[in-house]
Amino acid sequence: MPFRFLKRFTRGVFILLTLLPTALFLLACLTPYIDNSSWWIAGFLGIAFPYLVIVQIFLLIFWIIAKPRYALIPFVSLLVGYGQLRVLFAVNISPPFTEKKQAGHLRILSWNIRNFVALSDNPQKIKHNKDEVVSAILRLEADVLCLQEFNHSATKGEQDNNIKLFTKEYPYHYFSRDLVKKNGFYEYGSIIFSKYPMIDSSKVKFPGRTAESLISADFKRGDDTFRVYTTHLQSFRFNEGDYQDIEKIQLQEEDALGASKNIFKKMKAAFIRRSVQAGIVRKELDRSPHPYIITGDFNDVPNSYVYFHIRGNAKDAFLEKEFGIGRTYISLAPTLRIDYILASPHFEVKQFELVDEDLSDHLMMVADLKLNH
């Protein structure tokens, strides 16, 4: 009798340990449909989603071995979360990216270049890396460049005239200039460069004194007219002290609780602001009279409200052509795909590649698209 009771009790504990993470997983599956400005906790669930998937797979394997009928719990939950699994993990087997662009294709390059400062604080290395950043971009011969965290000076001198670094190959540009100091001494924001003339351009400023913008440019190529957007949504704004706090949390040091509160507060504010910004972006995309492409650093994962809301029915170039999770941000975690190239259904994605040049904390993205008539 005691053995039977212990067996039933142990099974009950394991079932409970299955139901709790499964309930959390199913709740995380709802995050794409929950506006973070109304319920910001959903933002944390979106980031946790890949790890909740791993737990469900582990539970599935465990119950198949221990008691197959209970394997239905994680199996059904994974079926319910198929839509979120599909954006988390791409499953294409595509040929290697060909740098030579085919006639009739449109090549888009998008990259958060981290103010050209790369991953070093050494002034000499920064200057060297700036040249490497430009070289890496020009080598791919894209038709349109969308760069985030781009800095420039209109008055400091030729060495800081960063727009001029591209104007020989890309004579047309539109710069958001979201932050301007000392009458042009320092300018910061997103920028669109192009080989084609821009027939129109626009800027929508996000709410907030230090917020950035959504910018767009219209192009006419032959009989085709299309629009390109780029943006940099609200980041967590982690500084060096915050990264030290994250390390304290990981190492479970004495002041980890205080560090957690600080990190939590910043993340909560960012989830709310990004959700508002995503609403603004969605309205602008819906107003576009032309086929469009939107690129940029959304600072949010594919399982988030921000991603689903902005994407709508657009094609995610990574999901169309790549394989795997596709991390684009190299710090903090191996699951952070937060940069995107999305194209309206008028486009066909022909090629896509993530390029790691070790020159930024983000990976470069390049896609070849074809506009169907």
Side-chain angles (χ1 to χ4, degrees):
M1 184 69 69
F3 176 75
R4 186 180 299 175
F5 170 78
L6 181 61
K7 184 178 178 181
R8 290 171 62 183
F9 177 77
T10 304
R11 183 188 303 166
V13 169
F14 276 103
I15 292 173
L16 182 63
L17 291 175
T18 298
L19 291 174
L20 289 176
T22 298
L24 196 59
F25 172 82
L26 292 173
L27 187 58
C29 289
L30 298 175
T31 56
Y33 315 105
I34 301 173
D35 188 335
N36 294 170
S37 61
S38 302
W39 199 56
W40 46 265
I41 293 174
F44 289 96
L45 289 174
I47 291 177
F49 186 80
Y51 306 100
L52 294 172
V53 171
I54 293 171
V55 171
Q56 290 301 294
I57 293 172
F58 170 80
L59 290 170
L60 178 64
I61 295 170
F62 171 79
W63 284 118
I64 286 174
I65 296 170
K67 199 79 171 176
R69 66 179 178 179
Y70 292 118
L72 278 173
I73 299 171
F75 178 73
V76 171
S77 73
L78 288 169
L79 285 181
V80 171
Y82 173 76
Q84 285 70 37
L85 290 170
R86 179 65 187 88
V87 300
L88 174 67
F89 198 95
V91 290
N92 306 286
I93 306 297
S94 300
F97 186 89
T98 305
E99 286 196 11
K100 184 173 176 58
K101 181 171 65 72
Q102 291 189 27
H105 292 180
L106 173 72
R107 179 164 292 179
I108 302 288
L109 184 151
S110 183
W111 196 9
N112 180 326
I113 58 172
R114 200 175 181 256
N115 286 301
F116 290 103
V117 300
L119 303 177
S120 171
D121 295 324
N122 184 302
Q124 292 303 317
K125 191 172 182 182
I126 287 171
K127 182 181 184 305
H128 175 64
N129 282 335
K130 183 160 88 167
D131 295 336
E132 289 184 322
V133 167
V134 176
S135 227
I137 292 170
L138 296 181
R139 175 176 57 82
L140 288 165
E141 298 183 347
D143 299 297
V144 179
L145 310 178
C146 299
L147 307 179
Q148 304 85 44
E149 292 195 23
F150 184 92
N151 67 353
H152 168 76
S153 176
T155 59
K156 196 175 179 181
E158 286 296 305
Q159 73 277 6
D160 289 292
N161 184 343
N162 292 330
I163 289 177
K164 195 173 180 180
L165 296 170
F166 296 93
T167 50
K168 182 179 178 182
E169 300 293 333
Y170 297 90
Y172 310 99
H173 73 272
Y174 184 61
F175 186 23
S176 64
R177 290 183 172 83
D178 294 317
L179 175 63
V180 179
K181 291 184 178 180
K182 298 181 182 178
N183 202 25
F185 186 80
Y186 176 82
E187 301 175 350
Y188 168 92
S190 297
I191 192 166
I192 299 173
F193 286 102
S194 174
K195 293 182 176 181
Y196 305 114
M198 298 179 180
I199 59 175
D200 197 8
S201 59
S202 69
K203 170 179 172 177
V204 179
K205 182 78 172 173
F206 295 136
R209 186 173 57 86
T210 60
E212 297 183 50
S213 307
L214 170 71
I215 61 174
S216 71
D218 291 353
F219 303 94
K220 190 168 182 63
R221 191 175 71 159
D223 295 330
D224 298 327
T225 303
F226 60 93
R227 177 170 292 179
V228 175
Y229 296 90
T230 198
T231 191
H232 184 204
L233 301 187
Q234 179 69 46
S235 72
F236 291 129
R237 294 189 180 277
F238 288 159
N239 54 36
E240 189 62 35
D242 295 321
Y243 286 110
Q244 291 173 3
D245 283 346
I246 292 171
E247 190 173 346
K248 290 175 185 176
I249 296 167
Q250 292 172 338
L251 297 175
Q252 298 182 347
E253 295 184 4
E254 287 185 11
D255 53 348
L257 180 61
S260 299
K261 289 180 180 178
N262 180 50
I263 297 298
F264 179 85
K265 184 178 179 181
K266 283 196 171 186
M267 292 180 73
K268 173 186 172 182
F271 287 136
I272 294 171
R273 288 171 187 164
R274 275 202 300 272
S275 191
V276 172
Q277 292 169 354
I280 294 170
V281 173
R282 183 69 260 164
K283 286 180 182 177
E284 291 302 314
L285 297 180
D286 290 339
R287 291 173 184 162
S288 176
H290 310 299
Y292 67 81
I293 301 156
I294 177 165
T295 83
D297 177 1
F298 294 0
N299 269 307
D300 225 328
V301 292
N303 305 99
S304 65
Y305 171 81
V306 167
Y307 171 83
F308 271 78
H309 197 55
I310 292 176
R311 180 185 174 187
N313 66 348
K315 297 176 180 179
D316 184 327
F318 171 80
L319 294 180
E320 294 284 320
K321 292 296 174 183
E322 283 291 327
F323 183 89
I325 290 178
R327 178 176 68 166
T328 64
Y329 183 66
I330 65 174
S331 298
L332 295 179
T335 59
L336 295 179
R337 183 165 78 94
I338 61 175
D339 304 85
Y340 305 94
I341 295 179
L342 309 176
S344 66
H346 312 84
F347 289 93
E348 179 184 355
V349 181
K350 306 301 289 187
Q351 289 196 113
F352 177 85
E353 186 173 38
L354 290 172
V355 184
D356 186 0
E357 296 285 353
D358 197 26
L359 295 169
S360 171
D361 51 358
H362 291 253
L363 270 63
M364 182 197 305
M365 302 176 294
V366 58
D368 287 355
L369 309 172
K370 182 180 180 183
L371 182 56
N372 295 320
H373 299 91

